[in-house]
Amino acid sequence: GDSVTQMEGPVTLSEEAFLTINCTYTATGYPSLFWYVQYPGEGLQLLLKATKADDKGSNKGFEATYRKETTSFHLEKGSVQVSDSAVYFCALTTSWGAGSYQLTFGKGTKLSVIP
Amino acid sequence: NAGVMQNPRHLVRRRGQEARLRCSPMKGHSHVYWYRQLPEEGLKFMVYLQKENIIDESGMPKERFSAEFPKEGPSILRIQQVVRGDSAAYFCASSPRGQGATYQETQYFGPGTRLLVL
């Protein structure tokens, strides 16, 4: 079945440091890829997405490029802020025989940014 | 625009009781997904519903769990005879329509219901 593997945390960075969170996937179909962010005590918010190979999703300074050849969708940000502290989830969705498009999530990576 | 609404936000039940979790999708959305998040884990798909129809329940436990999305009113996730292992955060997501083969749509998540079974 489909699966998502992302780097284990927690990740602790100083403010203005460069961030990379690795994400790789296996999928039987041709997936769309997502990054969601979860702040403490809240639900998930869509951060960015990409629907086809070589697409780059970007939002709030975060970027991720859909790499079909390496089945990866790594999240990057050039300069993190304290307010970026959260749990980040990589996810994918593929078409499914009965018409269901469930999201498959990685386990999440907790990011802490210190001043 | 109101987002996805879930209530209650926190729910405490004793073993053997019933838990009912409600989800109101975003305005104009007719497709609802339920996910469960166990401590220190990612979200796991449970069920996908359209109005009055269960489309995919491949992630639902076979016993004690049920879901509905009636023509009027919110979607309900019902857990009968709860056990401690049911303690988790339950998230609902909605989308405006089912995702077609050529157009992948985004699911919008609610704030979740955190269920604690004593």
Side-chain angles (χ1 to χ4, degrees):
Chain A
D2 296 349
S3 67
V4 175
T5 302
Q6 57 183 108
M7 64 186 286
E8 293 191 17
V11 174
T12 302
L13 295 173
S14 297
E15 208 166 18
E16 299 184 3
F18 184 85
L19 169 71
T20 299
I21 301 178
N22 290 337
C23 171
T24 57
Y25 66 89
T26 58
T28 52
Y30 196 168
S32 287
L33 303 173
F34 303 82
W35 278 100
Y36 281 86
V37 58
Q38 184 179 30
Y39 298 101
E42 298 185 9
L44 276 70
Q45 300 175 25
L46 177 67
L47 183 58
L48 53 84
K49 69 177 183 180
T51 57
K52 62 183 188 296
D54 300 324
D55 267 4
K56 177 186 282 188
S58 61
N59 186 27
K60 299 180 181 179
F62 291 90
E63 294 183 338
T65 301
Y66 189 141
R67 301 286 187 202
K68 190 166 184 257
E69 64 277 11
T70 54
T71 62
S72 65
F73 193 54
H74 304 322
L75 182 68
E76 296 182 337
K77 186 175 185 183
S79 176
V80 294
Q81 305 300 313
V82 172
S83 57
D84 294 326
S85 298
V87 180
Y88 292 81
F89 292 95
C90 185
L92 63 82
T93 183
T94 55
S95 62
W96 193 79
S100 170
Y101 299 91
Q102 57 180 275
L103 282 163
T104 299
F105 286 89
K107 290 190 174 182
T109 302
K110 183 176 182 179
L111 170 66
S112 297
V113 180
I114 54 178
Chain B
N1 274 333
V4 178
M5 310 276 285
Q6 289 188 250
N7 66 82
R9 294 289 304 273
H10 299 273
L11 182 61
V12 180
R13 285 288 178 266
R14 296 191 181 279
R15 281 179 296 170
Q17 291 184 319
E18 179 180 287
R20 291 171 69 89
L21 288 61
R22 297 175 192 79
C23 168
S24 296
M26 286 180 70
K27 187 176 181 180
H29 289 193
S30 57
H31 298 259
V32 166
Y33 297 76
W34 285 94
Y35 294 83
R36 177 164 64 175
Q37 183 180 31
L38 294 170
E40 308 301 324
E41 294 284 328
L43 280 72
K44 301 290 187 187
F45 168 78
M46 299 181 75
V47 62
Y48 163 44
L49 310 103
Q50 297 175 19
K51 288 280 188 180
E52 299 185 282
N53 281 306
I54 297 174
I55 305 302
D56 177 9
E57 55 182 348
S58 59
M60 286 278 271
K62 295 288 184 256
E63 298 178 349
R64 302 188 297 107
F65 284 72
S66 62
E68 63 176 7
F69 189 16
K71 187 176 180 181
E72 301 291 336
S75 175
I76 305 287
L77 179 68
R78 182 182 179 205
I79 311 172
Q80 295 179 289
Q81 300 176 328
V82 295
V83 301
R84 289 210 173 115
D86 297 332
S87 295
Y90 292 83
F91 290 96
C92 167
S94 72
S95 67
R97 60 187 169 132
Q99 294 161 314
T102 57
Y103 182 49
Q104 300 285 351
E105 293 198 52
T106 301
Q107 295 176 27
Y108 297 87
F109 282 79
T113 294
R114 283 152 181 83
L115 172 65
L116 176 63
V117 180
L118 301 177

